[in-house]
Amino acid sequence: MSDSFVDGFILNLTPHFSPDQLRIIQDALSVYTLGYEISPIKTEIITCEYQLPQEYYIYMASKAQDGRMSDKSKDQYRMCLEDMLFFLHTPLGKITVNHIRLYLQSISVNKKTGKKLSVETLNQRKSIIKSFFKWLYEEEYIDKDPSVRIKREKSHSRPRTEYADTDIEQIRAACESIRDEAIVDLLASSGIRVSECVGLDRGDIDLDKRELTVYGKGGKWRTAYIDARAVVSLRKYIASRTDECEALFVSKRAPHKRISTSAVRKCLHGLSAGSGVDGIIPHRFRHTMATSAINRGMPIESVQMLLGHSEIETTLRYAHVSNEKVKNDFKKYSR
């Protein structure tokens, strides 16, 4: 009963804590409750303990086996679906669209802070739920998919803009170390994700060929490319290293260990004041590379491969075609 108590307790904390924080809390509770017998208070009301359906475990196993989910995505799927299933407390075959709407309404506002859930987070939850019920229907576990009528929310946020050439120069000028400059040049020229950047080893990069072997999202390998400036910066940085760590980017202080994604974000955020460029985040370099490539005439399919996207629709959200290119293309292809 202790394990069930801990699991239920953690699920109630899901909207308020990160996956890492929840793991720490769960581990602490599991240790503290060892040797204790926890059981519900008996009243005249008959209590029953909800068990997650077997189909849920089969679904999660199938997602893990297809090799397309990162550990972070698995945690997001697990937390979202378990939270929904415990909330609804209803057999899968009897869940209707109104049940799902009721659950989404319950999470739309953070009970602790009173703040509304962001459109992006709500859409992410909807996507996970729709994926689950679509799979249940296709595998014939349920007769009807109740999530078909669940629609995505329209985002009112402004589209993320790319860096101008002058922005990149100002960011580079604000770098106080060879390492930070190499990170900026690598992200700006290759368009790889920050997680892919920190995951690189020295052996993954061929400076003569200007190529990177990247282990990307969903456990897929691909080749990315860098420009001459990034080659110069990386050569300079690698030559300055005296440690034996295999990671391409390491901490500045000994013992030198692989740098984390949070450390890169913190580093770039710190460059905002010195550079005068607001909102310096790793992902914006990715938008910049995609937009620059498209506006210089690179086919969208090639940009898709460079970014490591499974769907070309995702690539289209990254690349912002300039009005000048649209004008020139119109002249080129019109009669």
Side-chain angles (χ1 to χ4, degrees):
M1 185 63 189
S2 296
D3 290 340
S4 300
F5 170 81
V6 172
D7 291 342
F9 186 83
I10 293 299
L11 281 170
N12 280 294
L13 297 180
T14 295
H16 314 298
F17 294 88
S18 70
D20 289 339
Q21 291 172 323
L22 287 171
R23 287 195 197 95
I24 294 172
I25 296 171
Q26 186 171 23
D27 290 344
L29 278 173
S30 296
V31 172
Y32 186 79
T33 56
L34 283 174
Y36 287 85
E37 181 62 31
I38 303 174
S39 59
I41 298 173
K42 293 182 179 179
T43 65
E44 294 181 357
I45 301 175
I46 299 175
T47 61
C48 62
E49 191 174 331
Y50 178 75
Q51 298 290 330
L52 289 168
Q54 184 180 12
E55 293 86 349
Y56 159 74
Y57 294 106
I58 298 174
Y59 169 75
M60 291 301 295
S62 70
K63 297 294 285 185
Q65 289 170 5
D66 68 15
R68 298 177 61 185
M69 288 182 71
S70 64
D71 290 339
K72 182 178 179 181
S73 294
K74 290 175 187 176
D75 286 338
Q76 290 172 338
Y77 270 67
R78 178 183 59 79
M79 292 171 65
C80 172
L81 293 177
E82 290 186 9
D83 186 44
M84 178 193 69
L85 291 171
F86 273 100
F87 176 86
L88 295 180
H89 205 287
T90 304
L92 294 176
K94 294 185 178 181
I95 293 177
T96 67
V97 64
N98 287 332
H99 283 106
I100 299 174
R101 285 170 176 162
L102 181 64
Y103 168 69
L104 292 172
Q105 178 62 32
S106 74
I107 64 170
S108 62
V109 177
N110 188 306
K111 296 180 179 63
K112 186 175 181 180
T113 64
K115 292 182 179 180
K116 292 186 65 175
L117 201 67
S118 70
V119 172
E120 291 75 16
T121 302
L122 191 58
N123 281 335
Q124 181 191 58
R125 296 285 184 96
K126 287 184 177 182
S127 178
I128 292 172
I129 292 169
K130 287 174 71 68
S131 171
F132 177 56
F133 282 106
K134 180 181 179 182
W135 179 86
L136 288 172
Y137 175 71
E138 291 177 346
E139 294 293 322
E140 299 183 350
Y141 287 115
I142 57 177
D143 297 326
K144 184 179 179 180
D145 181 356
S147 69
V148 170
R149 290 161 60 191
I150 299 297
K151 306 300 181 184
R152 289 176 58 87
E153 301 288 327
K154 290 184 178 180
S155 177
H156 300 293
S157 60
R158 295 174 61 184
R160 185 172 290 161
T161 57
E162 65 277 6
Y163 293 117
D165 291 341
T166 53
D167 292 334
I168 300 293
E169 293 302 321
Q170 289 173 231
I171 294 171
R172 292 185 79 254
C175 292
E176 297 180 351
S177 69
I178 301 173
R179 186 203 67 178
D180 296 350
E181 187 173 317
I183 290 174
V184 168
D185 287 341
L186 176 66
L187 291 174
S189 63
S190 67
I192 63 175
R193 301 176 178 93
V194 64
S195 59
E196 296 168 343
C197 174
V198 301
L200 288 171
D201 290 335
R202 299 194 208 197
D204 295 330
I205 183 168
D206 188 327
L207 294 177
D208 293 327
K209 293 182 179 180
R210 301 184 185 180
E211 294 181 356
L212 309 172
T213 301
V214 180
Y215 184 68
K217 201 172 183 180
K220 294 179 292 184
W221 291 92
R222 74 178 190 282
T223 301
Y225 304 91
I226 54 176
D227 59 18
R229 170 181 276 182
V231 170
V232 172
S233 296
L234 286 166
R235 283 193 194 279
K236 191 186 302 183
Y237 169 62
I238 293 172
S240 72
R241 294 267 297 275
T242 57
D243 62 273
E244 296 182 358
C245 182
E246 65 177 356
L248 179 59
F249 294 111
V250 296
S251 56
K252 294 177 181 178
R253 297 180 180 178
H256 301 288
K257 296 182 179 180
R258 186 183 301 276
I259 194 173
S260 66
T261 56
S262 60
V264 174
R265 292 191 176 96
K266 184 178 179 180
C267 163
L268 295 177
H269 180 73
L271 295 175
S272 292
S275 66
V277 179
D278 293 329
I280 303 178
I281 56 175
H283 222 64
R284 197 171 166 191
F285 287 105
R286 201 161 153 80
H287 283 262
T288 301
M289 190 280 278
T291 299
S292 177
I294 287 290
N295 288 327
R296 290 176 182 175
M298 183 181 288
I300 188 69
E301 294 82 5
S302 296
V303 178
Q304 177 188 2
M305 292 184 66
L306 288 175
L307 296 180
H309 288 155
S310 300
E311 304 293 336
I312 202 165
E313 288 78 9
T314 307
T315 309
L316 290 171
R317 293 203 299 269
Y318 275 71
H320 309 290
V321 183
S322 69
N323 290 332
E324 190 64 26
K325 176 171 171 46
V326 173
K327 178 181 177 180
N328 291 334
D329 286 346
F330 176 77
K331 290 180 180 179
K332 181 179 179 180
Y333 295 106
S334 62
R335 293 181 179 180

